Amino acid sequence: MQVWPGEAYPLGATYDGAGTNFAVFTEAADRVELCLLHDDGSETAVELRESDAFVRHAYLPGVMPGQRYGFRVHGPYDPARGLRCNSAKLLLDPYAKAVSGRVRWGEEVYGYHFGAPERRNDLDSAPHTMTSVVINPYFDWGDDRPPRTDYHHAVIYEAHVKGLTMRHPDLPEELRGTYAGLAHPAVIEHLTKLGVTALELMPVHQFVNDHRLVDMGLNNYWGYNTIGFFAPHNAYASWGDRGQQVLEFKSAVRALHEAGIEVILDVVYNHTAEGNHLGPTLSFKGLDNPSYYRLTDDPRYYMDTTGTGNSLLMRSPHVLQLIMDSLRYWVTEMHVDGFRFDLAATLARQFHEVDRLSSFFDLVQQDPVVSQVKLIAEPWDVGEGGYQVGNFPPLWTEWNGKYRDTVRDLWRGEPRALAEFASRLTGSSDLYQDDGRRPLASINFVTCHDGFTLHDLVAYNDKHNQANGEDGRDGESHNRSWNCGAEGHTDDPGVLELRARQMRNFVATLMLSQGVPMISHGDEFARSQRGNNNAYCQDNEISWVRWPEGEHDLLEFTRAMVWLRRDHPVFRRRRFFHGRPVEGTHDELSDIAWFTPEGGEMTQRDWNSAQASALSVFLNGNAISEPGPRGERICDDSFLLMFNASPEPLEFLVPVNHGRQWQVVVDTARPEGVPPGTGAKVAAGERITLPDRSLTVLQRPA
């Protein structure tokens, strides 16, 4: 076999049409072998003799796409110094663009012996581990263009590749649970009719099913256990894992873009699947353990701010390069439109504390590619000081956990929730205004993959996670949920009616709030996980979306609310409300006003009342301060939002000075929610009775 010196950049395996360049970083190694793997189980080893700045490299003419490979690293195995090199372990390329196979768990993939953790394990891992794959980078994107949907037009739909498509009745069996299933016209039609502009995919980076879960007969279904930051997860491919998964993912992105739907990836750059000091040796640990991971003062052990056993070393230039190269790859080569960063507070831990100005954020800010896509933070981790909602840099948006908690509290009847609810409804200025961000920095959600579904939020007081095999110790115990009078399944018509009304309340509140709404897949037709609020290991009917037959009342209501929002800019403003008349709009009324049910303007005493659970909000469509894209004035209808979160019916007075004639356009007390154009007419000064726990919206033409 011919071996040429090759180049140190780019890292990974790069096919150029005639052969492949291989490059891998390791400062810890004495010697590195590139192993080409053959289908008969044999391998051809090529020593990487060239080294530039600790990058070992070679070019192999004739090595083509589909070739499986791995690395064997010869060097010190000295855990007391943080070094875990072991040439018996076949290692994945950190820059692999595709991964073949899966881990077959056994002692072979660990660097130590189970009975004696201090002893090095020299069992060969090659027959038991995954392998890297050389891919063909060429793909016909045609006239693909990123939709580039502005945040104020965005409606995000969080979904799992397999969970969304596994039980869709219109998908062929072979496409269910795959990237190709996402691209199927039936799935795309559902998303477009719903009004979705962005599909936020739970992890599709190559991940590993944990040894513990496999032994229990379960899987890491959610996928927050990454081992390959460049490779699409191979189990979601319908027709092969020798690079076909790359083509299939690209085809799905192209089809979604054609429908005007952006693709956002939920990414896990805070830790890897190699776990703690007792975890397997699959890639980074064997290549250069102290360069990739945060180690404690005793280098045998790992710092863990993620709850998974390890945390990546965010002050290492090689880790930062890996992350930035990965992000750019997914934008430039895979055409994705943004990222949601799991446990993003960990990315800010340059040393110990969470640092807004850490190197990672500096790199993102100045990067000409990554800075231009959607960047969404999950603004917390499990480490000390890890809850950082509202504290990310101005370029970022955030999953607003305070929005979720406050909206849940209001509708379940918690006291003293009204004042904070007002802030969350209007874009959370208390969190985002001081650092120059806008309401659109708030990604609003009531439910997501982590926790109860919308149905279960109103059907269970307690989690029911028995299927996870952890005796109920896993999952959040304080869910801010309310079962409406019966735990779980019931035939009581009163309870069922109240649950349906509460689900409409949550959907309506989400779509009427300033910020960017996010829907969790299946919530639009009341998907249930049978009370499991931590279904991370349930790759089965508990987690898979069960698609309804025919039309569904909640689906119709959700569609109507999404399109009401999309049709009216007053619900998706780009600037915060002023709380006063806006100059230049020729309207003497304030852009927003707050009223008690009796029609009087809210006072401080009203806001502070422990029992206050109802109010009206006037949104002035004639007082939108931000201009349109060409500098034109934006003018919209005005709306009066009436919230009755109390357990009793209440009379609401329509304010006398904010419009003469109104029409009811939303009424969550009715199963159909009031279809467009059929609502009752209401005059100023009239009284409307809102049933307990319901929401009504009145519209006044501009």
Side-chain angles (χ1 to χ4, degrees):
M1 175 179 290
Q2 286 187 304
V3 180
W4 299 351
E7 302 290 341
Y9 187 86
L11 289 162
T14 306
Y15 172 69
D16 64 4
T20 302
N21 189 83
F22 295 90
V24 62
F25 161 78
T26 170
E27 191 171 348
D30 297 328
R31 193 160 61 89
V32 177
E33 289 179 305
L34 165 68
C35 298
L36 303 181
L37 305 168
H38 310 299
D39 289 343
D40 63 3
S42 63
E43 62 183 61
T44 300
V46 177
E47 184 170 348
L48 301 181
R49 299 181 182 276
E50 298 292 328
S51 178
D52 294 293
F54 300 109
V55 175
R56 312 294 178 102
H57 54 87
Y59 180 90
L60 274 60
V63 170
M64 307 298 283
Q67 174 65 58
R68 295 183 302 127
Y69 70 97
F71 297 110
R72 294 190 186 273
V73 171
H74 301 260
Y77 182 82
D78 187 357
R81 293 194 294 137
L83 299 170
R84 296 179 178 271
C85 300
N86 186 339
S87 60
K89 309 306 167 187
L90 184 74
L91 304 177
L92 284 171
D93 181 355
Y95 279 72
K97 307 302 191 301
V99 172
S100 177
R102 59 182 176 83
V103 177
R104 294 171 179 83
W105 290 109
E107 200 170 22
E108 294 85 357
V109 297
Y110 291 83
Y112 62 92
H113 287 282
F114 287 171
E118 71 283 354
R119 284 180 51 218
R120 170 176 156 146
N121 175 344
D122 289 326
L123 296 172
D124 185 9
S125 71
H128 304 272
T129 193
M130 302 185 291
T131 56
S132 308
V133 179
V134 177
I135 70 158
N136 185 342
Y138 306 109
F139 180 77
D140 182 8
W141 283 102
D143 59 356
D144 180 70
R145 295 290 184 274
R148 294 194 180 277
T149 304
D150 291 330
Y151 272 120
H152 66 285
H153 289 298
V155 176
I156 298 173
Y157 188 87
E158 187 199 29
H160 187 283
V161 172
K162 188 171 186 180
L164 183 65
T165 61
M166 195 63 187
R167 285 290 175 261
H168 198 298
D170 296 332
L171 264 60
E173 194 73 33
E174 65 272 15
L175 298 187
R176 295 183 181 185
T178 70
Y179 302 121
L182 289 179
H184 192 275
V187 173
I188 291 179
E189 181 185 19
H190 173 75
L191 297 175
T192 53
K193 287 178 68 175
L194 186 57
V196 167
T197 69
L199 182 62
E200 182 178 304
L201 294 175
M202 291 173 65
V204 298
H205 286 176
Q206 184 69 48
F207 62 87
V208 175
N209 281 319
D210 316 54
H211 193 169
R212 178 184 66 86
L213 292 176
V214 172
D215 284 349
M216 296 169 63
L218 300 170
N219 285 318
N220 191 318
Y221 170 69
W222 284 355
Y224 293 93
N225 203 33
T226 304
I227 197 63
F229 295 105
F230 295 78
H233 187 59
N234 56 22
Y236 297 154
S238 64
W239 56 295
D241 70 356
R242 298 285 184 93
Q244 294 93 333
Q245 61 265 55
V246 178
L247 300 178
E248 190 170 324
F249 182 87
K250 289 179 176 179
S251 296
V253 172
R254 184 176 60 190
L256 288 159
H257 280 182
E258 189 174 352
I261 298 172
E262 294 183 307
V263 178
I264 297 171
L265 300 189
D266 192 339
V267 290
V268 189
Y269 292 112
N270 50 72
H271 74 280
T272 79
E274 291 187 300
N276 61 17
H277 62 290
L278 298 177
T281 299
L282 303 174
S283 180
F284 310 92
K285 188 179 288 186
L287 278 165
D288 196 329
N289 190 55
S291 288
Y292 282 111
Y293 293 116
R294 297 188 71 195
L295 305 179
T296 66
D297 292 339
D298 182 342
R300 289 176 298 174
Y301 305 113
Y302 297 79
M303 290 195 68
D304 179 15
T305 58
T306 63
T308 61
N310 66 56
S311 302
L312 283 170
L313 182 62
M314 294 307 298
R315 66 175 180 269
S316 164
H318 304 289
V319 170
L320 292 170
Q321 180 186 7
L322 173 82
I323 295 174
M324 296 306 298
D325 285 349
S326 169
L327 292 170
R328 281 190 292 269
Y329 174 79
W330 285 95
V331 175
T332 59
E333 296 297 319
M334 307 295 264
H335 286 208
V336 305
D337 305 283
F339 304 95
R340 178 265 189 192
F341 292 80
D342 177 65
L343 300 180
T346 292
L347 302 176
R349 292 184 183 273
Q350 189 167 4
F351 296 100
H352 172 72
E353 69 284 353
V354 176
D355 179 8
R356 279 183 53 186
L357 302 179
S358 70
S359 299
F360 172 68
F361 296 115
D362 293 343
L363 289 172
V364 169
Q365 182 74 33
Q366 60 78 44
D367 190 274
V369 174
V370 180
S371 66
Q372 298 306 302
V373 300
K374 289 183 168 64
L375 302 172
I376 304 170
E378 181 187 33
W380 50 78
D381 65 15
V382 300
E384 181 182 352
Y387 193 76
Q388 294 291 320
V389 173
N391 289 333
F392 274 70
L395 192 65
W396 291 67
T397 62
E398 300 176 12
W399 269 26
N400 191 343
K402 293 187 177 182
Y403 178 94
R404 170 200 61 204
D405 295 346
T406 303
V407 171
R408 289 185 178 193
D409 279 349
L410 178 85
W411 286 113
R412 71 188 179 113
E414 282 295 290
R416 301 188 186 280
L418 209 55
E420 186 168 359
F421 172 71
S423 178
R424 304 297 156 244
L425 182 74
T426 53
S428 296
S429 60
D430 58 322
L431 300 177
Y432 305 116
Q433 193 168 28
D434 287 348
D435 57 13
R437 286 190 283 176
R438 301 286 176 86
L440 303 168
S442 179
I443 306 298
N444 298 331
F445 66 104
V446 176
T447 58
C448 64
H449 71 272
D450 188 3
F452 281 144
T453 65
L454 183 61
H455 171 276
D456 292 356
L457 183 66
V458 301
Y460 294 91
N461 285 347
D462 303 303
K463 62 186 179 184
H464 295 267
N465 297 356
Q466 293 84 350
N468 295 355
E470 299 181 41
D471 296 323
R473 294 186 302 272
D474 66 302
E476 176 61 57
S477 296
H478 182 49
N479 293 283
R480 301 174 191 262
S481 62
W482 178 47
N483 64 19
C484 297
E487 186 73 359
H489 177 76
T490 181
D491 294 321
D492 186 316
V495 171
L496 294 175
E497 194 281 327
L498 178 56
R499 288 178 179 176
R501 188 159 76 246
Q502 286 284 71
M503 286 190 282
R504 291 191 292 272
N505 289 334
F506 283 122
V507 170
T509 302
L510 181 63
M511 293 304 155
L512 298 171
S513 298
Q514 304 298 323
V516 181
M518 185 184 79
I519 303 168
S520 181
H521 66 323
D523 275 353
E524 66 271 31
F525 32 74
R527 177 176 77 92
S528 174
Q529 291 181 168
R530 307 173 199 167
N532 192 321
N533 74 347
N534 188 36
Y536 77 101
C537 56
Q538 299 299 324
D539 187 3
N540 51 46
E541 298 284 352
I542 291 176
S543 295
W544 300 340
V545 173
R546 184 177 293 277
W547 292 77
E549 297 180 5
E551 292 302 322
H552 189 283
D553 285 344
L554 184 60
L555 174 58
E556 289 300 307
F557 179 77
T558 305
R559 283 175 181 161
M561 290 306 308
V562 171
W563 286 100
L564 179 69
R565 175 189 181 83
R566 290 190 65 174
D567 289 343
H568 291 285
V570 76
F571 297 126
R572 41 183 178 80
R573 292 183 48 151
R574 306 195 313 277
R575 297 177 183 171
F576 288 109
F577 290 99
H578 299 276
R580 62 178 185 275
V582 176
E583 293 183 14
T585 59
H586 310 294
D587 195 312
E588 297 179 357
L589 296 175
S590 173
D591 59 353
I592 188 170
W594 306 88
F595 301 96
T596 66
E598 293 77 24
E601 292 204 22
M602 292 281 288
T603 65
Q604 198 62 45
R605 183 176 179 181
D606 295 322
W607 287 118
N608 293 339
S609 171
Q611 302 308 314
S613 54
L615 82 167
S616 296
V617 190
F618 170 71
L619 303 181
N620 191 347
N622 286 316
I624 298 175
S625 57
E626 61 267 24
R630 298 186 178 181
E632 73 276 16
R633 182 189 169 204
I634 298 176
C635 188
D636 192 13
D637 296 344
S638 295
F639 290 85
L640 189 67
L641 319 181
M642 297 176 168
F643 296 89
N644 178 18
S646 73
E648 304 294 336
L650 287 178
E651 273 197 347
F652 281 69
L653 179 72
V654 179
V656 295
N657 298 321
H658 289 71
R660 295 180 181 178
Q661 194 73 32
W662 300 81
Q663 183 174 21
V664 177
V665 291
V666 177
D667 181 359
T668 62
R670 297 173 56 174
E672 72 279 11
V674 184
T678 65
K681 304 285 198 232
V682 182
E686 283 191 36
R687 294 183 178 273
I688 302 177
T689 299
L690 266 65
D692 61 292
R693 298 185 177 88
S694 68
L695 182 165
T696 293
V697 178
L698 307 183
Q699 181 177 1
R700 189 199 74 190

